């Protein structure tokens, strides 16, 4: 008797939540561990950044402006067929003087197997000036 083939599927919701938790914990290896070698990161209208090392440097430089940057994931919409997720987020930026500003935004995460091949983030940073 034949048994049906089963294929392990990635829990995209769980993987996305874990990814953001690692980013918020300032895990220095998160991008090298989670991203594909040719991953692309786009932040607002800035030029996209390619590869885990460049993405690590970009995010570290951005976060160095703040005491902390954390993300509240308000809602995730998963498209399992396309291996991607849309995320509604509230980003909390705490400045060196302790002042906190929260802004709403969204991100889109594209998976390739168990790794992330694309990460686009759009947040209203006008309140940070």
């Amino acid at each position: 008797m034949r048994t049906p083939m089963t294929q392990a599927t990635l829990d995209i919701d769980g993987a996305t939540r874990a990814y953001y938790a690692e980013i918020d914990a300032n895990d220095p290896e998160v991008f090298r561990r989670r991203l594909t070698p040719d991953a692309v990161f786009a932040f607002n209208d800035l030029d996209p950044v390619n590869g885990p090392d460049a993405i690590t440097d970009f995010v570290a430089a951005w976060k160095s402006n703040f005491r902390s940057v954390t993300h509240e994931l308000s809602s995730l919409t998963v498209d399992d067929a396309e291996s991607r997720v849309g995320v509604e987020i509230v980003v909390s930026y705490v400045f060196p003087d302790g002042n906190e500003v929260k802004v709403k935004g969204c991100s889109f995460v594209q998976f390739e197997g168990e790794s992330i091949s694309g990460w686009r983030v759009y947040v209203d940073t006008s309140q940070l000036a």
Side-chain angles (χ1 to χ4, degrees):
M1 175 183 209
R2 277 189 150 168
T3 56
M5 290 182 61
T6 58
Q7 180 179 357
T9 58
L10 175 67
D11 172 11
I12 292 174
D13 182 287
T16 302
R17 291 179 188 281
Y19 177 61
Y20 270 97
E22 292 168 8
I23 291 169
D24 288 352
N26 296 314
D27 181 339
E29 294 299 315
V30 63
F31 301 117
R32 289 178 188 91
R33 184 175 57 255
R34 292 267 185 186
L35 302 181
T36 62
D38 60 347
V40 177
F41 170 62
F43 183 73
N44 290 344
D45 63 348
L46 300 176
D47 290 335
V49 179
N50 298 294
D53 291 335
I55 294 168
T56 296
D57 293 346
F58 179 94
V59 173
W62 172 249
K63 289 176 91 172
S64 72
N65 294 299
F66 307 97
R67 183 185 297 171
S68 69
V69 177
T70 56
H71 305 83
E72 175 190 331
L73 307 186
S74 305
S75 176
L76 281 75
T77 303
V78 175
D79 182 343
D80 285 313
E82 297 294 328
S83 299
R84 64 181 165 213
V85 60
V87 184
E88 292 180 42
I89 55 177
V90 177
V91 185
S92 174
Y93 295 96
V94 178
F95 288 85
D97 66 2
N99 183 39
E100 180 180 24
V101 176
K102 293 184 177 188
V103 298
K104 293 181 180 181
C106 62
S107 73
F108 302 92
V109 183
Q110 180 70 50
F111 285 85
E112 189 175 297
E114 294 189 5
S115 297
I116 295 168
S117 61
W119 179 36
R120 295 174 286 146
V121 177
Y122 305 98
V123 293
D124 178 7
T125 57
S126 65
Q127 296 180 52
L128 303 178

